[in-house]
Amino acid sequence: MDALAADLLAVADWITAHITMWVLIVTGLFLTVVSRGVQLRHLRSMLRQVRGSRAGAQGGISSFQAFAISLAARVGIGNVFGVAAALLAGGPGAIFWMWVVALVGMATAFFEATLAQLFKVRAQDGSFRGGPAFYMRAGMGSPLLAGLFAAITVVTCGFVITSVQSNAVAGTLAAAFGSGEDSALPGFAGLSSQQLVVAALVLVLTAVVVLGGIRAVARVTELMAPAMALVYVVLVAVICLANIQQFVQVLGLIIRSAFSLEPLVGGLGGGILAAVVNGTKRGLFSNEAGQGTAPNAAATATVSHPVQQGLIQSLGVFIDTVVVCTATAFVILLSGPETWTSPDANPATLTTLAIAHGLGAWTVLPMAVLVFVLAYSSIIAAYVYSDVNMSYLTGGKAWGSWLVRLVSILSATAGAVLSLEVVWNAVDIAMAVMTLTNLVALVWLYRWGVGALRDYEAQRSAGVESPVFRAQGNPHLPASLQTDVWD
């Protein structure tokens, strides 16, 4: 099993280094050019959209709720473990390449969310469903590619991501409080108390929300996702402010390491290739731009114009990487080599050790709770992605939705008590396939995204406060959009 895990890791690294990261960056640059830098020109519009995004849902899922679902998935284990893994393997320079991925990824996120809105359909319960599978079928006319993407997403999000998130929590608790004595309960020999506690909590909390469907997830994440991101950022901001005199030094270290042929910091990996590969891979895992998962949430929103949700989802990439991931990186780098070279330092524990170094050992318990909440939010958000794609595969049949709910609950519970080295390494391969498939669709359909953006900008220039999208006879679109949603 260890040999299989090592082989999968080698394959994942090769795909990332030779294919995914180049296609991801080139596609992001292409979409940036054709949109005339939408992520830069409309940064203020993104903030304005968020301020008014909780209204206008008319009983459906609001724009802010859809944003919160994707934010819950983005601001998760990747912000804690992913950044630590990137630093340990790629050195400080990996953070610079995470910024690059995020900057171009904001354009990618805009296009995939806008397309998800354009080609969304109405579900039986009156809410909306959409995402890459839907715009691949309706926009590209490729049901084969759509079915492939949907099937991979159902498995990856409904089984793999849910299990690795709970697995990460169990590992964090074991590292923070010790592995515990083997359980004496019948049938549970060999399992630590932390694993059993996490499994029980995940089972109960996931079931309570997931069994209520996508609307229940939207209500929970609307409150939880912004709150947990704010708490985490405040926690690390205190450490950064306490070491403000070293802030510029750390920033310079990140930039120098990004272009250095050799590691610059003892105890951390480095070199330009390692920095690029790990920064790109972990940046993708964290902010999901181009991966094709976030559009499934974006499509559920009730908005008057597709671009509104595109702008909000683009902002989510900025918040995830430039704000939250950067905060994590600075805390780790400020903690000094004694933390990086500690025998206990690994991706699961490095961030917790760094925060404990900055604020004291009392932070271990709050960090364990925070990591649990981060993982839990990603679990229920991953269920939404899986449910939307199962809806595509089954034509919206109720049994498909219930199957996804049960599988998501069981896989999240099992993840806390199983050894998932193989699954952890396989997830990078699955995400690479999803990403490459989605990026092909984004380039193929870019004119629809550009057309929607021009329509939005034309209405804003004409003084329309809240632009309204028209699918039929819209002069900015490459053709009339055949849909019963926008008319």
Side-chain angles (χ1 to χ4, degrees):
M1 191 63 71
D2 290 340
L4 177 60
D7 290 341
L8 289 174
L9 179 61
V11 172
D13 285 343
W14 187 92
I15 293 174
T16 300
H18 294 85
I19 303 176
T20 309
M21 74 177 185
W22 300 112
V23 177
L24 190 69
I25 293 175
V26 169
T27 302
L29 290 173
F30 170 74
L31 297 176
T32 297
V33 171
V34 297
S35 66
R36 295 181 295 124
V38 62
Q39 69 270 51
L40 302 177
R41 293 190 299 111
H42 284 286
L43 189 58
R44 291 180 60 185
S45 298
M46 296 175 190
L47 298 173
R48 184 177 64 249
Q49 289 296 334
V50 171
R51 287 198 298 268
S53 60
R54 299 188 69 176
Q58 301 172 344
I61 295 175
S62 71
S63 178
F64 185 81
Q65 287 175 327
F67 167 70
I69 292 173
S70 61
L71 186 64
R74 285 186 170 118
V75 182
I77 293 300
N79 297 90
V80 180
F81 293 3
V83 174
L87 282 171
L88 288 173
I95 305 306
F96 175 87
W97 295 108
M98 289 182 75
W99 293 340
V100 172
V101 169
L103 184 61
V104 298
M106 288 177 70
T108 308
F110 168 82
F111 272 84
E112 60 183 359
T114 301
L115 290 174
Q117 277 286 325
L118 280 170
F119 294 100
K120 68 184 180 181
V121 300
R122 195 179 299 276
Q124 293 181 355
D125 63 356
S127 61
F128 298 112
R129 298 290 185 274
F134 294 84
Y135 56 68
M136 288 173 187
R137 181 185 63 184
M140 298 178 66
S142 178
L144 179 62
L145 195 63
L148 173 65
F149 181 91
I152 294 174
T153 305
V154 167
V155 175
T156 302
C157 294
F159 173 72
V160 178
I161 292 180
T162 50
S163 60
V164 299
Q165 294 288 339
S166 59
N167 183 259
V169 176
T172 300
L173 291 180
F177 304 110
S179 60
E181 297 294 330
D182 287 351
S183 172
L185 295 177
F188 292 100
L191 299 179
S192 69
S193 56
Q194 286 85 356
Q195 288 177 304
L196 294 176
V197 169
V198 171
L201 287 174
V202 167
L203 173 63
V204 173
L205 294 177
T206 304
V208 166
V209 176
V210 165
L211 290 178
I214 293 179
R215 293 179 188 270
V217 174
R219 289 192 296 269
V220 171
T221 54
E222 180 181 21
L223 300 174
M224 183 173 65
M228 70 179 183
L230 180 61
V231 169
Y232 184 66
V233 169
V234 168
L235 188 66
V236 297
V238 171
I239 298 175
C240 290
L241 290 174
N243 298 272
I244 193 65
Q245 68 278 7
Q246 301 178 46
F247 191 87
V248 176
Q249 296 176 354
V250 170
L251 182 62
L253 176 63
I254 290 174
I255 296 175
R256 292 198 311 275
S257 298
F259 301 97
S260 174
L261 297 178
E262 299 294 336
L264 296 180
V265 181
L268 290 177
I272 185 169
L273 181 60
V276 172
V277 170
N278 286 279
T280 302
K281 183 166 67 173
R282 295 307 163 189
L284 171 62
F285 182 77
S286 177
N287 65 48
E288 301 183 15
Q291 187 174 296
T293 48
N296 297 288
T300 64
T302 303
V303 292
S304 62
H305 200 289
V307 168
Q308 292 175 323
Q309 200 61 30
L311 293 173
I312 289 179
Q313 297 298 135
S314 181
L315 183 64
V317 174
F318 181 89
I319 293 173
D320 173 86
T321 305
V322 179
V323 178
V324 182
C325 286
T326 301
T328 300
F330 271 91
V331 167
I332 293 174
L333 293 174
L334 286 169
S335 65
E338 62 271 23
T339 301
W340 316 327
T341 57
S342 168
D344 297 325
N346 59 64
T349 60
L350 183 57
T351 303
T352 299
L353 291 172
I355 290 179
H357 179 273
L359 296 178
W362 66 270
T363 59
V364 172
L365 179 58
M367 273 300 297
V369 173
L370 182 60
V371 167
F372 179 87
V373 175
L374 290 170
Y376 171 67
S377 69
S378 294
I379 288 171
I380 61 177
Y383 147 72
V384 172
Y385 300 158
S386 185
D387 184 80
V388 168
N389 285 276
M390 178 62 85
S391 176
Y392 172 84
L393 292 173
T394 63
K397 297 293 191 299
W399 65 264
S401 181
W402 281 103
L403 177 62
V404 167
R405 297 178 196 187
L406 293 176
V407 169
S408 297
I409 294 169
L410 293 176
S411 62
T413 305
V417 296
L418 298 177
S419 178
L420 296 178
E421 287 85 357
V422 172
V423 177
W424 268 103
N425 294 337
V427 72
D428 283 332
I429 299 177
M431 287 181 176
V433 175
M434 291 168 58
T435 302
L436 293 172
T437 306
N438 183 51
L439 292 177
V440 169
L442 295 183
V443 173
W444 189 286
L445 300 171
Y446 82 92
R447 291 186 301 163
W448 288 93
V450 171
L453 177 60
R454 288 175 178 170
D455 177 64
Y456 178 86
E457 291 175 336
Q459 293 189 50
R460 288 289 300 168
S461 297
V464 179
E465 182 66 25
S466 298
V468 177
F469 181 69
R470 179 163 53 91
Q472 298 295 325
N474 191 317
H476 300 286
L477 297 179
S480 290
L481 183 61
Q482 301 303 316
T483 175
D484 60 354
V485 172
W486 292 107
D487 293 329

